[in-house]
Amino acid sequence: MPGKAQHFQAPQVSCCAKYLLFASNVLFWLLGAAFLAIGLWAWAEKGVLSNLSSITDLGGFDPVWLFLVVGGVMFVLGFTGCIGALRENTLLLKFFSVFLGLIFFLELTAGVLAFIFKDWIKDQLNFFINNNVKAYRDDIDLQNLIDFAQEYVINICCHFPWVYKVTPKNLFLFCVHTQIHMVSIL
């Protein structure tokens, strides 16, 4: 109506909550982008990006996949939460909320299933670790991951007698289990 003044509705969310959600999601968005960049850089250094058919030829576990998947999820979630909070876009905020709820439900389900099938998971984990220890010298990223995991175990568990024991699955590796030592190269 031409004669009446139009009144705009106040925002549904307080400014403090809106900008706090925006700031935290900008941080996650940038961290996701950094994880993606690190993963892509690692693949470029390995020559995977120049020969994309080598993605399917990777034997064992490639730690770069972890960076790419986590970075991609963080990037998408950070973007939707950031833009959704800033523009008060309900579609993006609903996607953000549903996706976070889905991740929480999947983590809860994985925890319950891990508790129920702990023996099977232990066997599969031992099989996975043994295969990757055999391929210790084949992939420098895998070698660095195994070395980091051992250093972490040493720093956390150095005063306990039940510290890890590695059986020699690779001729290049051995472990002295009477004292605390890392896997060494002959």
Side-chain angles (χ1 to χ4, degrees):
M1 303 194 165
K4 288 189 173 182
Q6 294 181 348
H7 296 288
F8 292 103
Q9 226 180 355
Q12 299 292 327
V13 184
S14 72
C15 279
C16 183
K18 175 181 173 179
Y19 289 111
L20 182 65
L21 184 63
F22 172 74
S24 63
N25 280 303
V26 164
L27 177 68
F28 283 115
W29 188 20
L30 294 175
L31 283 173
F35 271 48
L36 278 173
I38 289 169
L40 291 173
W41 172 77
W43 265 5
E45 287 292 314
K46 290 170 105 177
V48 174
L49 292 179
S50 62
N51 183 11
L52 291 179
S53 65
S54 66
I55 292 175
T56 59
D57 297 336
L58 297 174
F61 174 70
D62 190 6
V64 176
W65 280 106
L66 187 66
F67 278 96
L68 293 173
V69 170
V70 169
V73 169
M74 284 178 66
F75 186 82
V76 169
L77 274 179
F79 176 77
T80 57
C82 177
I83 302 301
L86 183 65
R87 305 297 274 165
E88 295 182 16
N89 187 329
T90 56
L91 178 67
L92 290 177
L93 288 174
K94 285 179 185 176
F95 175 80
F96 177 75
S97 299
V98 167
F99 207 82
L100 278 181
L102 180 67
I103 289 174
F104 175 73
F105 178 73
L106 289 175
E107 286 178 352
L108 184 65
T109 304
V112 169
L113 289 175
F115 180 74
I116 292 171
F117 298 110
K118 61 185 165 193
D119 293 331
W120 181 81
I121 290 175
K122 185 177 178 182
D123 293 340
Q124 292 298 317
L125 189 59
N126 282 333
F127 178 74
F128 175 75
I129 289 172
N130 287 334
N131 282 344
N132 282 310
V133 166
K134 288 177 189 176
Y136 181 76
R137 289 287 180 202
D138 296 341
D139 186 6
I140 191 69
D141 291 333
L142 183 62
Q143 182 179 349
N144 289 334
L145 181 67
I146 290 172
D147 291 345
F148 171 76
Q150 288 177 347
E151 289 175 13
Y152 182 75
V153 167
I154 291 265
N155 290 334
I156 298 297
C157 306
C158 63
H159 297 9
F160 297 103
W162 47 265
V163 175
Y164 68 96
K165 182 175 90 175
V166 175
T167 58
K169 300 291 183 186
N170 190 328
L171 295 177
F172 295 110
L173 306 175
F174 73 94
C175 180
V176 178
H177 61 343
T178 57
Q179 297 178 359
I180 298 173
H181 292 283
M182 289 187 55
V183 173
S184 303
I185 306 300
L186 292 175

